[in-house]
Amino acid sequence: MATAGSKNFDEMLNADGSVRPAYEEFRQWFDGQDTTWLRRQDAEAERFFRRIGITFNVYGDDAGEERLIPFDMIPRIITAREWRKLTRGIEQRVRAINAFLQDLYHRQEIIRSGRLPIEALRNNEAFLSQMIGFTPPGGVYTHIVGIDLVRTGPDDFMVLEDNARTPSGVSYMLENRETMMAMFPELFTKVPVRPVSDYPRRLARSLRACAPAAYKGGKRPVVAVLTPGIYNSAYFEHAFLADQMGAELVEGSDLRVMDGRVCMRTTTGYKAIDVIYRRVDDDYLDPLTFNPNSVLGVAGIFDVYRSGGVTIANAPGTGIADDKAIYSYMPEIVEFYTGEKPILQNVPTWRCSEADSLGYVLDNLADLVVKEVHGSGGYGMLIGPTSSKKEIAEFEQKLRAKPGNYIAQPTLSLSTVPIFTKEGLAPRHVDLRPFVLVSPDGIDITPGGLTRVALKKGSLVVNSSQGGGTKDSWVLDE
């Protein structure tokens, strides 16, 4: 059972052990089930994921083995009231990020105003000078955004990270829900849960709404998903989304530039693409403009993009908005572009590039979480409270050598939700990644998102590459 009275906020249980309203109906159903049957369903869920091949690769793993992301069958439940507040904050933040990118690649008013130092851009690899002066079709830079949230109290949600490049994980959100509905169909007749299964249709509609100037109407704009190939860690998701949207899954070798358009090879000849949902990093998009050694992209695609022949989603250069050093300025960025105070707060952050902050961080390494500015996936970070003295000492050397490469944050008391274990329900720490679609027609937020869970007791690391799992995220209907 989840522990009542824990110092962390538990999303299912009050401090006295009573069940919170969000979980009342689910808990009533759960307590009425046979434990042996639940264990069989738990094993069946794992077999289901293996059958459909929902696995991922871990970069740097010598074995090169595809792994199954562990799935926990106890849903994470969010009330309609909580979700309303979250969506207001998420929409405000996404609007600000898009306006920020438009400004950075044009007049840079936020730098002129002194709200953002020029040093935040100078020598920042995520800022692409090739995008200066160019506005993407529809004025949309970040077509798909993932906002990572953590919770520390009943009404205390904070943004841990913004993912404005190519946020992954939405296929797991969809498969988690499908698995739950297949295993426990009667549960969905008892608890009113908002659906997520129409996400691929909404994604396709949102992408089509961003067609380039070269699209002249008539048939629907042609959408394709550009993948680096089968060895990419998220290849399953690329293939899954293309299939679900009814779009073509293409690699760079399938494409060529013809008559000012990007065209894909088909059985009847080459066919122009209007919108490319690319899952290839900026540096590998076009060997003529970026990395000349890239074989993953398309030679000349960037020139076609700038001349209005194709839409690239997300736009090249959006990575500057989710850079961890920029993250620390997000409260100022939100206020600058929306004229409003941020609805969702940042996690307090020290920029190690600043002498005073660096001094504080070095004095308190054992109590802090330190991250690389350009890092992801839980790699290259230090979690002070769970690190040995030797690990802290080694990390201190790296920090002193390149302080500008790091930011630091306090170790938060993340909320816990129940997971299913051999001994029954047990609390584990979680985060939440809602997925946001942006088009000229507006901002569309899918209810829920991907809940990542640290399956090891006491662990705060939820990344799948570091042993974390996922679970279905429920937003209750009104």
Side-chain angles (χ1 to χ4, degrees), residues 335-375:
E335 190 166 356
F336 186 78
Y337 294 107
T338 67
E340 306 163 350
K341 294 289 184 184
I343 297 171
L344 291 171
Q345 302 302 315
N346 263 23
V347 175
T349 301
W350 290 273
R351 293 185 281 267
C352 299
S353 58
E354 299 173 358
D356 290 348
S357 294
L358 176 62
Y360 177 83
V361 172
L362 289 171
D363 289 342
N364 295 277
L365 267 181
D367 300 318
L368 300 174
V369 176
V370 187
K371 302 176 180 178
E372 287 183 344
V373 170
H374 302 300

Side-chain angles (χ1 to χ4, degrees), residues 276-447:
I276 293 180
Y277 177 22
R278 54 83 175 232
R279 301 297 293 263
V280 173
D281 291 344
D282 288 348
D283 202 29
Y284 298 96
L285 263 179
D286 185 344
L288 298 184
T289 303
F290 304 112
N291 183 347
N293 298 317
S294 171
V295 294
L296 301 178
V298 186
I301 187 174
F302 195 75
D303 286 342
V304 176
Y305 177 57
R306 283 188 61 101
S307 64
V310 70
T311 296
I312 299 175
N314 289 350
T318 54
I320 188 67
D322 66 19
D323 181 276
K324 291 184 177 63
I326 294 293
Y327 163 89
S328 63
Y329 293 97
M330 278 306 295
E332 291 87 350
I333 290 171
V334 170
E335 190 166 356
F336 186 78
Y337 294 107
T338 67
E340 306 163 350
K341 294 289 184 184
I343 297 171
L344 291 171
Q345 302 302 315
N346 263 23
V347 175
T349 301
W350 290 273
R351 293 185 281 267
C352 299
S353 58
E354 299 173 358
D356 290 348
S357 294
L358 176 62
Y360 177 83
V361 172
L362 289 171
D363 289 342
N364 295 277
L365 267 181
D367 300 318
L368 300 174
V369 176
V370 187
K371 302 176 180 178
E372 287 183 344
V373 170
H374 302 300
S376 64
Y379 296 105
M381 62 189 290
L382 174 81
I383 302 179
T386 60
S387 299
S388 66
K389 290 183 178 178
K390 180 183 177 185
E391 289 170 330
I392 292 174
E394 289 174 351
F395 202 91
E396 180 179 341
Q397 291 181 12
K398 293 196 291 185
L399 181 56
R400 287 184 183 278
K402 293 185 177 179
N405 277 9
Y406 297 93
I407 53 110
Q409 296 172 330
T411 308
L412 299 176
S413 297
L414 301 185
S415 65
T416 56
V417 302
I419 69 166
F420 187 74
T421 72
K422 292 179 180 177
E423 292 75 31
L425 298 180
R428 294 292 187 271
H429 298 292
V430 289
D431 73 359
L432 177 67
R433 175 177 293 178
F435 293 95
V436 188
L437 303 175
V438 185
S439 77
D441 296 336
I443 294 174
D444 182 9
I445 306 173
T446 302

Side-chain angles (χ1 to χ4, degrees), residues 102-150:
Q102 166 72 21
D103 184 29
L104 277 193
Y105 288 113
H106 291 81
R107 290 184 53 79
Q108 301 188 343
E109 296 286 0
I110 194 168
I111 292 175
R112 295 167 191 257
S113 71
R115 300 285 189 96
L116 183 74
I118 186 64
E119 289 74 19
L121 293 187
R122 193 172 290 156
N123 300 323
N124 193 318
E125 295 175 359
F127 180 78
L128 296 186
S129 60
Q130 296 90 339
M131 286 292 289
I132 292 175
F134 174 69
T135 300
V140 178
Y141 287 81
T142 52
H143 307 75
I144 300 102
V145 189
I147 304 292
D148 288 355
L149 303 171
V150 294

